[in-house]
Amino acid sequence: MALITLRRNLCHLSDFRIHGALAALKNHPVIHVHKVAEERLCPWFCSPQSEPFKVRFRHGCCKKFHSENGNDLHPVGEPVFSQAHDWDRPEQNLKSVDEQMFYGRLNNFTSSEEVLSFISALQTLPDTLVAGALHRICEVEKKDGDQKPPKEILKNSVFQALCIRCEQESSSLPDTVLVTALHALTLLHVDPQSSLLLNLVAECQRRLKRGGLEVHSLCILGESLIKLQGPGCATLELIIYQLQGEKLEEFTPEDIVALYRILQACTEKVDQHQAFLNKLNNFSLSIVYNLSPTLISQMISALVVLDQTQALPLVIKLGKYAVRHIPHFTNEELRKVLEAFIYFGHSDRFFTKALEQHVASVCLTLDPEVVSKVMEYCSRKHILSKPILDAVAETFVCQSEKFLPHQISELIEPFGKLNYLPPNASALFRKLENMLLTHFNSFPPKTLLKILHSCSLIECHPVNFMAKIFSPCFLQKLQGEELFLDKLSLAQLTQLFLTSVLECPFYKGQKLLPKYQVRSFLTPCSSLETPLDFHLYRSVKIGLIDLLGARVYFASKVLTPYCYTIDVEIKVDEEGLVLPFTVREDVHKRVALCIDDPKRFSLDSKHLLGKEAIKQRHLRLLGYHVVQIPYYEIKMLKSRVELVEYLQRKLFPQNVGIRW
């Protein structure tokens, strides 16, 4: 990105030349240059606390190049450069060479040595290309995540000459060259207190106060100062103020995203900039189609950090265009997009479809954090995607050792939540059991409880671990330093204990102490039971009154002694008479109506969620006659008469006469 703009803005300076790397060396004895360079440069690379800063920088030339052998890029329609090409002749002068071809050659290098060797072969080097050369060095050195450049670069005479030139000529460098050089040296972890950076920063500040820095230079300078001085520096406020005064229509898409990144670093002042952010969010709707995968990821990630929940139209549009880029996202970029969708509660069926195809084809090569984020996305939005779940299950069986405890939890929980067993379920849960047995103490207590509870939802009962999690020792670890266990953990423990009693009668181990048992599974977060939908219940209630004759013959929201809350309960005696709900004697059968609204199913499906499936399973084991009244059957009824007939068939399928 930086080089494109640099080339675009400064190509008209072709007649402006100052001595290049070799010229600088020729004007000073070699020993003197080395001495001066080492004195100046050695303190620059001494800041181990500096963190890596990702290079944001596109090569526009690459679009006009193609590869003949997979390695060597050359301009389309022009001969391939050979080792004996004029580029490599020391006497070659850039005045006669197209600047775009220079960048094409520069961007083809894969090491700093190649870049510096290429620069040293040039008799003169335009100052417009000094920053470009530094940026390319920075890029090739950062590709492997190195913290600092190797010492060989520091001692390289050409690199030393470039740095000395930047420092000595700072006042005469064009704006874009100055800020781009500062940015490149910042990315190379030059010491912020070195004379080199102090001079460059001081010169940038002088020009900033005078005004006149163009938008792209302001954006580059802003990101450099965040890296060097942190988001609290006073100069950054001036940069943001000047950017707010510019017309957004004059910003390139790269500059818009850079502005988001700058504001993202100032989250404590987001309220102060909210009016400008609203304007920026609205304008960004018009440029989404121009964004690359990297820029889409960066913009949507900034919206999360800045908590722009009111910018949902922008999030939706970013999601729409992200669909076509899914195969091109890096692992980190895809993770950020999924994280944003989870944060904003957004899902898109086209995005999900594209994600299915991508995950199914490359799941074994995805980073574990991305895999767990994909599963979290499906889980949060109740998306029962069999291609994704099957691929993830296969990945875990093959590469379980790559996953950390929290990633395993995020991977396993959706299977229970979505009530789905993959084709390799036996291998999946056997692998999980072996990992838990081997690394039991490595799992945080709450993480372990979530995993085991999720297994029980789909009838993969963790019998071998029940005695351990019901033990006072584990319960004490689970409570930690808190005075009491949280309600969700207590509810999960209680449901696991109820499962051991109802579905695992052969289990004779440790029981859960009464003080750790809850009375109701209706937790504040509705994790174990979904509350009754009022509108759907009202429709069913009208039909029940018509069918049974009075409201007294059924009760709603009945809390059972077994912690479950029944939507509607009807009592029937031995002769088939429907009894008033106040009667406690002579009850032969209890009918539990489960009035299931869309929230109790996977998204756009008729597949019950795990918590609803286990509830109905347990109620049957407790002796209830469970009758499911799903929303998709109710909405098909066109009249009140049809509703009564429907309830008649559901409640009394044997056509027994109803008496009350």
Side-chain angles (χ1 to χ4, degrees), residues 143-303:
K143 65 183 179 181
D144 296 324
D146 296 333
Q147 294 296 313
K148 291 189 293 185
K151 294 180 179 179
E152 290 76 15
I153 295 178
L154 175 64
K155 295 183 179 181
N156 185 285
S157 59
V158 179
F159 182 74
Q160 292 172 350
L162 289 175
C163 293
I164 293 174
R165 177 175 168 184
C166 286
E167 181 177 358
Q168 293 180 343
E169 307 288 344
S170 61
S171 60
S172 61
L173 292 176
D175 292 343
T176 309
V177 176
L178 176 67
V179 298
T180 305
L182 173 64
H183 191 53
L185 293 170
T186 301
L187 297 177
L188 286 169
H189 300 288
V190 175
D191 182 9
Q193 300 305 315
S194 66
S195 61
L196 171 62
L197 281 193
L198 289 175
N199 284 340
L200 292 181
V201 170
E203 180 60 30
C204 288
Q205 289 174 333
R206 279 194 292 271
R207 299 190 192 188
L208 177 67
K209 291 176 181 177
R210 289 201 309 263
L213 284 182
E214 55 107 27
V215 166
H216 185 65
S217 297
L218 287 171
C219 291
I220 295 176
L221 179 58
E223 293 201 269
S224 300
L225 291 178
I226 289 170
K227 176 65 177 175
L228 291 171
Q229 302 176 4
C233 67
T235 307
L236 186 61
E237 278 297 307
L238 179 58
I239 291 173
I240 294 175
Y241 175 77
Q242 290 192 16
L243 285 170
Q244 290 179 357
E246 300 287 342
K247 294 180 179 179
L248 292 177
E249 292 77 9
E250 298 177 0
F251 284 57
T252 65
E254 291 83 0
D255 294 335
I256 289 290
V257 178
L259 180 52
Y260 270 111
R261 292 194 299 264
I262 292 172
L263 293 171
Q264 176 183 345
C266 309
T267 51
E268 69 281 355
K269 298 181 180 179
V270 66
D271 293 336
Q272 177 182 334
H273 302 305
Q274 189 57 57
F276 178 64
L277 271 168
N278 292 338
K279 180 181 176 182
L280 184 62
N281 294 338
N282 291 331
F283 175 78
S284 297
L285 287 166
S286 64
I287 66 163
V288 169
Y289 71 95
N290 267 333
L291 298 180
S292 67
T294 299
L295 295 180
I296 285 178
S297 173
Q298 290 175 355
M299 181 181 285
I300 202 168
S301 179
L303 293 174

Side-chain angles (χ1 to χ4, degrees), residues 18-34:
I18 58 178
H19 288 296
L22 280 184
L25 293 175
K26 289 177 182 178
N27 292 335
H28 301 279
V30 173
I31 296 177
H32 173 73
V33 170
H34 275 275

